[in-house]
């Protein structure tokens, strides 16, 4: 029988985790363990990059509207304020739901920056990936799009680059004409992309009476999608109380049909008759907000009927992200 080779213990790491530099996956780990980087400190670095951040926009002004623009609104823009001010040669930074050819960002000829929100991101932290794209766009040559990439695991997030205070007021557009300030000089590719995007856009309006609520029109019926900041379990309890009491609608012919989950927040959805416009729903939405505040303040156990209503709402949840 062949002799067994004596087992040797790997060398103990000689560096703290924070001091270990990044090397090739198959190279020896710089910590001194004797293992390859991918099986040692490279594993934790990869996990840090791919770990899903449940609420990537938490802490930003208008978190609920960030979620809406990411998942629900076809065409919208909003000006962004940088924490350290605008760099020289960059007159403005604007967040946009979508950019031509799904570019992650664009540095326009005049130096202004457009940052696309609805693009696929390379890691589990949308905020870090968007911050990396924004940082690239701020230094890109004018007149060029910026491609996305996997952001460094220790790179800044949007919360580090954007001002922590101030209004976040999206402007919803009927189409994507904001892409091309000078349509006569747009390239054929951009023009074709604009036509496709406009054909697919669903008419959408942001309500003024409440925060982060968006009316939209579809061929068969209209909808109200309302991104809410409340903790999910507490919100579902409150909605169940109202639903069981027959107080969850927004008027005749409307009904609460379920909710979305998106980026750590809950988005209740109402079906509306096709003749109900955004203006028609402003007052009912404001009145519902008052009823919801009362229901959120209640702390008594749910009744049998309320538990049944809650179960129905839970069964009709759809996770978007």
């Amino acid at each position: 029988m062949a002799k067994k080779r004596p087992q040797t213990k790997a060398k103990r790491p000689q560096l703290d985790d924070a001091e270990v530099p990044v090397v090739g996956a198959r190279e020896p780990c710089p910590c001194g363990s004797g293992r390859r980087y991918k099986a040692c400190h490279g594993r934790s670095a990869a996990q840090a990059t791919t770990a899903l951040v449940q609420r990537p926009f938490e802490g930003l002004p208008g978190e609920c509207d960030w979620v809406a623009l990411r998942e629900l609104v076809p065409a919208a823009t909003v000006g962004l304020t940088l924490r350290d001010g605008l760099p020289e040669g960059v007159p403005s930074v604007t967040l946009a739901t979508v950019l031509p050819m799904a570019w992650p960002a664009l540095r326009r000829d005049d130096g202004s920056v457009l940052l696309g929100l609805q693009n696929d991101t390379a890691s589990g932290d949308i905020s870090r990936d968007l911050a990396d794209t924004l940082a690239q766009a701020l230094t890109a040559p004018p007149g060029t799009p910026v491609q996305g990439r996997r952001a460094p695991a220790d790179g800044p997030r949007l919360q580090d680059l954007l001002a922590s205070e101030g209004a976040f007021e999206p402007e919803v557009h009927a189409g994507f004409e904001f892409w091309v300030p000078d349509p006569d000089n747009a390239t054929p590719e951009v023009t074709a992309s604009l036509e496709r995007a406009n054909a697919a856009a669903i008419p959408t309006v942001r309500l003024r009476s409440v925060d982060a609520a968006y009316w939209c029109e579809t061929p068969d019926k209209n909808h109200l999608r309302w991104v809410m900041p409340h903790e999910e379990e507490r919100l579902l309890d409150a909605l169940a109380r109202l639903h069981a009491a027959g107080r969850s609608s927004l008027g005749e012919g409307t009904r609460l049909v379920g909710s979305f989950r998106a980026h750590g927040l809950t988005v209740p959805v109402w079906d509306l008759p096709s003749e109900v416009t955004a203006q028609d729903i402003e007052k009912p939405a404001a009145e519902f907000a008052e009823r919801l505040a009362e229901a959120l303040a209640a702390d008594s156990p749910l009744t049998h009927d309320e538990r049944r209503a809650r179960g129905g709402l839970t069964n009709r949840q759809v996770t978007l992200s």
Side-chain angles (χ1 to χ4, degrees), residues 197-214:
N198 280 343
I202 296 174
T204 301
V205 176
R206 182 175 184 260
L207 298 194
R208 296 181 179 274
S209 58
V210 293
D211 293 332
Y214 291 81

Side-chain angles (χ1 to χ4, degrees), residues 65 169 206-214 224-228 281-290:
D65 281 304
E169 297 288 344
R206 182 175 184 260
L207 298 194
R208 296 181 179 274
S209 58
V210 293
D211 293 332
Y214 291 81
L224 184 72
R225 301 164 176 174
W226 191 343
V227 187
M228 296 186 173
I281 215 69
E282 290 279 9
K283 183 178 179 181
E287 294 171 346
F288 178 84
E290 295 178 359

Side-chain angles (χ1 to χ4, degrees), residues 48-115:
T49 302
T50 58
L52 179 64
V53 176
Q54 296 293 336
R55 289 181 62 178
F57 307 117
E58 185 176 14
L60 292 172
E63 178 189 6
C64 294
D65 281 304
W66 278 90
V67 172
L69 267 57
R70 168 76 182 184
E71 299 294 340
L72 306 173
V73 181
T77 57
V78 56
L80 298 179
T81 302
L82 302 187
R83 174 170 293 183
D84 296 329
L86 293 169
E88 185 177 356
V90 180
S92 64
V93 175
T94 301
L95 181 72
T97 48
V98 181
L99 295 179
M101 275 78 75
W103 289 328
L106 171 65
R107 182 87 185 275
R108 283 179 158 164
D109 291 337
D110 65 355
S112 61
V113 167
L114 288 177
L115 177 66

